[in-house]
Amino acid sequence: MLYDKARIFVQAGGGGNGCMSFRREAHVPKGGPDGGDGGHGGAVVLLCDDSFRDLQSFKRRAHYKAGRGRHGEGNQRHGADGEDLIVRVPPGTQVIDETGTILHDLVVPGTRITIAAGGSGGRGNKKFAGATHQSPTFAERGLDGAESWLDLQLKLLADVGLVGLPNAGKSSMLGRMTRAAPKVANYPFTTLEPILGTLDGDERQLVLADIPGLIEGASDGAGLGHEFLAHVERTRLLVHVLDLAPLDGSDPEENYATIERELAEYDGRLATLPRILALSKADLVSPEEAEVTAQVWRERFAAELPELEEWEEPVEATPVLITSSATGLGLEELKAELFRRVPVLVDAPLPPGLDAGESLEEHRVFRPAAGRRSKDFEVEQVEDGLWRVAGEGVDRLIARHDMENMDALAHVERRLHRMGVIRALEAEGFAPGDDVEIGGVVFELDPS
């Protein structure tokens, strides 16, 4: 079966801790600090790999964790970076977060996307040594890597989608026109999963997808259609396969209306895609009856064409072809029509916000001037004598340091001064001796 959905947990590696060390060597009275930095944690990277076709591998494994960075050591030995974890996914994979937002859409093979960034390594005490502080007795801790649950959803990359009621002849048509070998039988819902086939032309190829048969209510979850309608979204053209002589005695016109209604209710864009109507199983009716039916549909589509003004481009009516997978009738004509109506994508899409007449060289990266950075923290008084400061930057600062170490605490206070936290607290009424909570750690802050 086709595995087109998966839920995975990704965890990037944490950064290594910096080392607090002093050089001790015989006959060297003043060694000084020599602690090395911790290594960066490895990232979790998704790689779009054309050798994969579904998400089956994720059914056996759901947790993916990259390597963590090594800790720094004395003698200025830096820790090694953690190894990135490469997770391979097939083209057409969408990455969705827990809020339902589509984060990435992997279409082009070879595309790499970092979905969990590794934690940065801590600096050793050697990095904090200076003219006024020559013997720092603290080092930074490494930060944890990002982690989250993600949903992967596969939408097949097909140029043409074959749609129709169950047992309309889609699988037989796909098997006759391409090298695909779908299971074919004389009962409804033979196709339980989308099947791809490659249609070869003189200079190009098209990918055809046999979408499982849709029934009334498919867009609301009835039958098999709701699970696989998503695979029609990427197609650029639809072939509506309509049985000329349904074995159940149903009306072909009502069958056509059912499928078109379900496609439109699922996604309004599908209603605007170009169509080809393939009247299938022509070998089961007389040639005269097949031609009369085809002419009725041609006249109907011609009557539905909008009235055009003089300056507008003419619009072609939906082609109506008589086909038979048993005898091959009309399949070469259908093949030619597919290659004619599916355009070749020559140019890759431009980046968002870039017009066709602009060049990439005209765009510049804006970097705010020093001292103009906006405040990225919030200050509030929790209770009398207790203040809370919240923000990503201050939380990271506290997470990196041991607040029981007086040297580290003094360093943190200097950093808070430079970040403007002390000024913000004093503006709100902070008094010396009050406690401050940052990142879940409560400590006494000396604003002097």
Side-chain angles (χ1 to χ4, degrees), residues 10 21 55 79 93 103 162 168 172 205 210 219 248 261 293 413-414 440:
V10 294
S21 171
L55 304 174
T93 301
L103 302 178
L162 306 181
S172 299
Q205 293 180 321
D210 172 17
S219 60
D248 59 3
R261 182 172 59 253
T293 302
E413 290 179 349
R414 291 192 294 270

Side-chain angles (χ1 to χ4, degrees), residues 314-396:
V315 180
E316 287 188 75
T318 300
V320 179
L321 305 178
I322 301 172
T323 67
S324 170
S325 299
T327 64
L329 174 68
L331 296 187
E332 286 299 320
E333 184 181 357
L334 174 59
K335 177 180 176 180
E337 196 70 25
L338 293 178
F339 280 107
R340 186 176 75 86
R341 289 181 171 262
V342 178
V344 178
L345 296 179
V346 178
D347 298 323
L350 292 168
L354 184 64
D355 296 331
E358 297 178 326
S359 65
L360 288 172
E361 290 77 7
E362 295 173 357
H363 290 259
R364 297 290 182 264
V365 177
F366 173 75
R367 293 183 174 86
R372 293 176 175 261
R373 204 163 125 193
S374 61
K375 186 177 72 172
D376 58 354
F377 58 85
E378 298 292 334
V379 174
E380 65 171 331
Q381 186 171 15
V382 181
E383 58 185 58
D384 188 26
L386 178 61
W387 300 78
R388 178 180 295 135
V389 182
E392 183 179 355
V394 291
D395 288 348
R396 288 166 60 93

Side-chain angles (χ1 to χ4, degrees), residues 4 33 47 89 100 218 256 267 352 384 396 400:
D4 59 352
L47 172 61
V89 296
Y256 175 86
D267 183 356
D384 188 26
R396 288 166 60 93
R400 282 192 177 279

Side-chain angles (χ1 to χ4, degrees), residues 158-164 169-175 177-178 195 207-214 232 235 237-241 259 276 278 334 338:
D159 300 299
V160 180
L162 306 181
V163 298
K170 303 185 301 300
S171 297
S172 299
M173 180 178 292
L174 181 71
M177 295 179 66
T178 71
I195 298 175
V207 177
L208 277 61
D210 172 17
I211 307 299
L214 307 179
V232 190
T235 61
L237 183 144
L238 296 179
V239 176
H240 190 142
V241 183
I259 297 302
I276 294 177
L334 174 59
L338 293 178

Side-chain angles (χ1 to χ4, degrees), residues 245-290:
L247 295 177
D248 59 3
S250 58
D251 182 10
E253 189 166 338
E254 292 182 1
N255 295 342
Y256 175 86
T258 296
I259 297 302
E260 293 295 324
R261 182 172 59 253
E262 294 304 321
L263 290 173
E265 289 179 358
Y266 176 77
D267 183 356
R269 190 190 71 88
L270 296 179
T272 65
L273 286 177
R275 301 278 202 282
I276 294 177
L277 179 62
L279 301 177
S280 63
K281 304 182 182 180
D283 55 294
L284 301 181
V285 299
S286 65
E288 294 77 13
E289 182 180 352

